[in-house]
Amino acid sequence: MVGKKTCPPYNMALSSQLTQAAQILAAGGLVAFPTETVYGLGADAEHPSAVADIYKAKGRPVNHPVIVHLSPEADLSYWVKEIPEEAKKLIAAFWPGPLTLILKRADRIPDAVSGGQHTIGVRCPSHPTAQALLRAFKNGQGGIAAPSANKFGRISPTTAQHVRDEFAAELQSGLIKMVLEGEQSEVGIESTILDLSRFKTHGAVLLRPGQICIDQLAAVSGTIPAMPNEGDSTPRASGTLEAHYAPNTSVVILPTEQLTSTIEQLHNANKKVALLHYSALQSNHLLAEIRLSEHAAKYAHGLYASLRQLDAANADVILVQAVLDVTEWQGVRDRLQRAAHGSLGVLVGLLK
Ligand code: TXA
Ligand code: MG
């Protein structure tokens, strides 16, 4: 084979890492890996004690179900009881990609992945490393249970370094065996979650907005998904808790017209301010500042990394310029509102 072009060293290294990662998963270990939305913390979905280790690492309540990731070639009917017509249409339009469907769980699948519920969340990621891992694992027919690779309630990771920072102790102790490298997740916020498990009685229910927005779902399925009922606790989705995706620093969302005067007031009160915004704003009174795109998809791509960076500045508050109330921004608005939950009295307290 002398003179023949071989695979570049990077790919060889990656393919041996993928083989190793697939072996770790098959042996019941945990592996973090990139997806197009955020990084996931993966375990064999059919290995209840491996799934239990995910909860342990994340510090997540055990009754919160996790999403099962499948390769494009996987047999979905192995995992779910039935595939409604709506699901078929949505899968044809959006898989592989950032859409999770909640369907009725097949009896053979251990209930550890669904927190004891009779449903299962399934998603086929488009990220090449995630797909390569799924193909290397159980000949492409396995399922990788993977929540976002962050501690419960914290900001989801969009880089491998975020994962290593968040789980330094668990990597050291061996509870998490490996972090697969990848670039910064393209989408940047978690997948859209659509519940079709009670379609006949409740229609489609949008449990979590994401990059694929309600209009796109409606255009493909022919019906407009409903929003979850307040107080309807099943199915549970931790990404739908009011307080989630939160930095340590309090986050306060402000309308554009209040930003400059609030920054001024906080400065006069000797408070340190970090700012996340998307339109032009001049101020000498900011400890840290990140300006993201005016386009929803690009903004989402940078959102979590920016929140982490601003959090690290140790300001008294992170001010966030309110984003538009239109469907395109629904996923971002949702994450910002959850990050800001409980911060209502913060400004009053800081300006006292
Ligand atoms: O983009 C994503 O979805 C990322 C990547 C890694 O794929 N994963 C992710 O997982 O965000 P996690 O666990 O952080 O959020 C998944 C959400 C949770 O809110 C969970 O409760 C919900 O999906 N979920 C999973 N299975 C469910 C089910 N059977 N019924 C209701 N909700 C479910
Ligand atoms: Mg999460």
Side-chain angles (χ1 to χ4, degrees), residues 58 147-148 150 156 190 208 244-245:
K58 279 185 65 100
S148 50
N150 53 279
S156 298
E190 303 79 356
R208 182 173 72 183
H244 214 70
Y245 314 115

Side-chain angles (χ1 to χ4, degrees), residues 11-24 133 178-181:
N11 285 344
M12 269 168 49
L14 181 62
S15 90
S16 84
Q17 274 187 35
L18 285 167
T19 310
Q20 205 190 331
Q23 283 165 354
I24 293 171
L133 179 62
M178 193 174 184
V179 181
L180 279 174
E181 283 296 327

Side-chain angles (χ1 to χ4, degrees), residues 73-328:
E73 297 79 28
D75 176 10
L76 182 58
S77 63
Y78 176 81
W79 299 90
V80 305
K81 262 204 179 116
E82 56 191 32
I83 310 174
E85 276 312 305
E86 270 60 33
K88 287 184 188 153
K89 289 192 228 166
L90 292 163
I91 287 170
F94 299 115
W95 278 13
L99 175 66
T100 296
L101 296 177
I102 309 294
L103 298 169
K104 292 199 174 105
R105 174 167 54 92
D107 293 334
R108 65 171 76 83
I109 307 304
D111 65 4
V113 282
S114 31
Q117 298 179 81
H118 296 297
T119 56
I120 184 167
V122 281
R123 148 166 144 77
C124 174
S126 62
H127 193 289
T129 306
Q131 286 195 0
L133 179 62
L134 284 158
R135 287 182 171 127
F137 174 60
K138 294 187 176 175
N139 292 321
Q141 294 304 313
I144 302 181
S148 50
N150 53 279
K151 299 272 177 155
F152 182 64
R154 317 300 314 177
I155 306 171
S156 298
T158 50
T159 69
Q161 190 57 47
H162 293 161
V163 181
R164 286 192 290 267
D165 292 346
E166 185 106 358
F167 287 113
E170 290 75 9
L171 283 161
Q172 179 84 34
S173 73
L175 180 57
I176 299 173
K177 300 265 180 321
M178 193 174 184
V179 181
L180 279 174
E181 283 296 327
E183 288 167 3
Q184 182 166 344
S185 296
E186 188 58 38
V187 175
I189 55 172
E190 303 79 356
S191 60
T192 304
I193 304 182
L194 191 69
D195 182 9
L196 295 176
S197 68
R198 303 180 291 172
F199 190 76
K200 286 195 188 111
T201 50
H202 293 67
V205 180
L206 183 63
L207 294 184
R208 182 173 72 183
Q211 188 194 56
I212 296 173
C213 72
I214 196 163
D215 301 347
Q216 289 170 285
L217 296 171
V220 170
S221 71
T223 51
I224 300 171
M227 301 310 277
N229 286 334
E230 296 257 328
D232 183 359
S233 57
T234 38
R236 291 172 289 264
S238 46
T240 64
L241 294 177
E242 284 186 337
H244 214 70
Y245 314 115
N248 292 315
T249 316
S250 299
V251 172
V252 174
I253 303 169
L254 284 177
T256 307
E257 60 278 10
Q258 286 176 23
L259 279 176
T260 310
S261 58
T262 307
I263 293 167
E264 198 65 35
Q265 285 172 320
L266 286 164
H267 172 72
N268 293 338
N270 279 323
K271 297 297 186 260
K272 291 175 284 175
V273 180
L275 174 70
L276 183 62
H277 62 126
Y278 55 87
S279 50
L281 187 145
Q282 289 295 328
S283 173
N284 298 324
H285 303 324
L286 295 170
L287 177 68
E289 171 202 4
I290 295 178
R291 183 174 175 187
L292 289 174
S293 171
E294 296 174 343
H295 300 285
K298 283 193 190 146
Y299 185 109
H301 172 73
L303 173 61
Y304 287 151
S306 303
L307 283 177
R308 279 171 187 266
Q309 212 176 311
L310 294 176
D311 200 18
N314 284 322
D316 294 302
V317 63
I318 300 174
L319 297 183
V320 176
Q321 179 179 14
V323 299
L324 298 180
D325 189 4
V326 294
T327 50
E328 209 191 337

